[in-house]
Amino acid sequence: MIQKLVADLGPWSWWLLAAILLVAELAAPGVFLIWIGAAALVVGALSLALWDMGFWGWQIQLLLFAALSVVFAIAGRRYYDRKHATTDEPFLNQREASLIGRTATLQEPITEGRGRIRLDDTWWPVQGTNQPAGTRVRIASAHGRTLTVERAEG
């Protein structure tokens, strides 16, 4: 059935595959099917020009499609690599890391290395050297939800 469809559509079968992949990318976005769809578009464009050539068999088309899919996926990943993206809020999804360097007042004393502070609208468990309630502390690091504090200067 698929072989008959490809034979009937000729080079347009690649355009149909590209359309299906691009629509699938819209339905389930992940910025991955777009690159495979782009490879199908390129093979479709080449098929329009080379369809009657003897060397342009289905094997060559599939090999080119596979190679272009890999190349486009790698190039697209590098282009959209989020590691190098600059942002005005680098700690957006890392709330604990954004607290490092801030100062707060101990709401509960640190005894046996544990206490609590209140920052903004949240209570945070803290660890550090024993300090009485009301002491100003600076957040030195964050480990999961627990903050490590030290006495604030001045």
Side-chain angles (χ1 to χ4, degrees):
M1 181 176 124
I2 294 176
Q3 190 175 20
K4 182 180 180 331
L5 179 68
V6 170
D8 289 346
L9 289 175
W12 295 103
S13 59
W14 286 107
W15 290 85
L16 179 63
L17 176 64
I20 290 169
L21 289 169
L22 294 175
V23 168
E25 175 70 26
L26 289 174
V31 191
F32 182 74
L33 291 177
I34 192 168
W35 307 119
I36 300 172
L41 282 174
V42 170
V43 173
L46 289 172
S47 290
L48 285 175
L50 302 174
W51 192 257
D52 294 329
M53 300 291 185
F55 68 89
W56 192 249
W58 64 269
Q59 299 92 342
I60 297 295
Q61 294 175 39
L62 280 179
L63 283 174
L64 182 62
F65 173 68
L68 286 175
S69 294
V70 170
V71 168
F72 286 172
I74 290 171
R77 184 171 176 96
R78 285 190 181 169
Y79 182 74
Y80 285 108
D81 189 10
R82 292 187 173 102
K83 290 181 193 173
H84 303 295
T86 57
T87 177
D88 59 340
E89 294 186 41
F91 299 116
L92 181 63
N93 293 321
Q94 302 171 12
R95 186 170 183 199
E96 293 84 6
S98 70
L99 300 175
I100 296 174
R102 288 187 60 184
T103 58
T105 303
L106 284 174
Q107 298 296 314
E108 293 179 9
I110 299 178
T111 55
E112 297 180 10
R114 299 272 183 203
R116 286 197 335 168
I117 62 172
R118 182 173 173 94
L119 276 174
D120 302 325
D121 61 347
T122 307
W123 288 90
W124 293 89
V126 296
Q127 63 185 15
T129 59
N130 292 346
Q131 306 283 342
T135 304
R136 294 288 294 166
V137 293
R138 185 182 68 79
I139 301 166
S141 65
H143 305 285
R145 181 150 161 72
T146 303
L147 306 175
T148 302
V149 296
E150 54 193 29
R151 184 183 288 269
E153 302 295 326

